[in-house]
Amino acid sequence: MPTALLRRIAICLLIAAPAVVLRITGNELNPVLELLTFGAAVVAAAFLLAWAAEAAQKDISGALAIALLALIAVLPEYAVDLYYAFRSGSDPDYLHFAAANMTGSNRLLLGFGWPLVVIIALLVAHRLAKRTKSPIQTSLRLDSGSRMDIGFLVILGVLAFAIPLLGSIPIWFGIGLVLIFVAYLWRAGQAAGEDEEEFVGAAALIVAMPQKARRITVVSMFVVSAAIILLSAEPFAEALVASGSALGIDSYFLVQWLAPLASEAPEFIIAAMFALRGMGGAAIGTLIASKVNQWSLLVGSLPIAHLAGGGGTGLPLDGRQIEEFTLTATQTILGVAIILALRFHWAPALGLAALFGLQFFVTDTSGRYILSAIQAVLAIVFLILHRTDILPTLAAPFRRPQTDPDESDPDETEPAEAAPPKHEAIVGLSSDPNPAGYRA
């Protein structure tokens, strides 16, 4: 195993070690210290998990690999969220925490993650354009294969509005969302290609290992990181609630934003690394797949976990949670409306980030609904602008890849994928609204 990889793994294990010792011995600390200890363990394990998941793409290529990577990368978030849902079955005080964690992580992913990738990718392209005196790029171009993911996200975004209307997440609705996730994985498997993946950081070190050693390393990292997450999820979730009281901070706020920030940090870092290497399309594709996972498997699992914990056949929502789901659903629809044409310009990216930041200052119920209405109106505007892309996007999840009339000509797209490293920074970027070989 490369020394550089050993060093990174050792650092993660050292960070997680105090939490593992505390959990095994049963010792307790001050809630804030427990929050820091178990939170650090979750972040360290999430890095191990993300590196292993990315390296696993060497043996699982194409769209399915991106879907699985996106799923595995958010497992720490799932562990915390499902714990709250499970506890809510026997303790009503935990009901609102499950929805808080999910809506916070969902909005963080789109409101912060998507713009981060776009801005980094465009800055990299701008620097390269100045050096090579080529045209300045103004938008991040998504691969035509992303249309399937966006199509699923459109469907899930529309279905999400049923949650505030129902005032709960019924078990039948949850099962339906899980089945949509299964269908998504199946379709991603059909769309999987044979293109060689690009790897960065620790994942590149793992991929460079011989096949047998690589697979043993990946499986070992999966097992170790999963064990750390399972040991840390419950005390981390409890420490979040207790720390809010100890620090005089709203526990709901900590659960909604601190937990997702900790669990999704590795995913954001990996996406940023892809964007820095000029692989903005792959970076945004992973984050889109994560959104599909959150709206399907995560939300669908909440009422199931609630029932398993002794609750009823639906996860009830109070007024605040209905407000949060409405805000999250409208943000999702706005996000997909922006990228329907498979282009992500810098101005809408900054707009998404601004709207995301605004919600921290607009905290009253009426203000949140006004913000939701603004997002919905903007979504309608973008849907009108991209109206010719609506039907192809909605059809993408249901049609076979080899018969897709909107797919690019393989002879035109393959050279871009095979471009030498010095040209990577312009792969997936476009200043032309209708770049050759791609359908706008």
Side-chain angles (χ1 to χ4, degrees), residues 14-77:
L14 285 174
I15 293 173
V20 174
V21 172
L22 281 178
R23 192 75 165 100
I24 293 176
T25 60
N27 293 328
E28 296 183 359
L29 301 175
N30 175 277
V32 178
L33 291 177
E34 286 196 347
L35 174 65
L36 295 175
T37 302
F38 289 106
V42 169
V43 173
F47 271 104
L48 292 175
L49 199 61
W51 292 337
E54 187 186 348
Q57 293 182 82
K58 178 68 177 178
D59 302 300
I60 310 173
S61 62
L64 179 59
I66 290 180
L68 292 176
L69 171 61
L71 170 62
I72 293 171
V74 295
L75 281 181
E77 174 199 337

Side-chain angles (χ1 to χ4, degrees), residues 69-143:
L69 171 61
L71 170 62
I72 293 171
V74 295
L75 281 181
E77 174 199 337
Y78 278 48
V80 174
D81 216 355
L82 294 181
Y83 170 75
Y84 285 130
F86 181 83
R87 278 295 304 271
S88 70
S90 57
D91 188 348
D93 290 340
Y94 283 79
L95 272 173
H96 59 301
F97 289 136
N101 194 33
M102 179 271 154
T103 54
S105 62
N106 201 304
R107 295 209 298 275
L108 182 68
L109 187 64
L110 195 152
F112 176 75
W114 287 21
L116 175 69
V117 166
V118 174
I119 299 305
I120 290 177
L122 292 178
L123 287 175
V124 169
H126 180 75
R127 187 170 67 243
L128 180 68
K130 288 180 65 177
R131 191 165 65 243
T132 60
K133 301 193 184 303
S134 54
I136 301 296
Q137 313 300 326
T138 61
S139 65
L140 174 66
R141 187 182 68 215
L142 281 69
D143 185 84

Side-chain angles (χ1 to χ4, degrees), residues 202-229:
L205 296 174
I206 299 173
V207 168
M209 297 169 64
Q211 184 182 79
K212 184 177 180 180
R214 178 180 71 244
R215 291 180 176 178
I216 291 175
T217 300
V218 168
V219 171
S220 299
M221 291 175 69
F222 276 146
V223 172
V224 171
S225 58
I228 293 172
I229 289 168

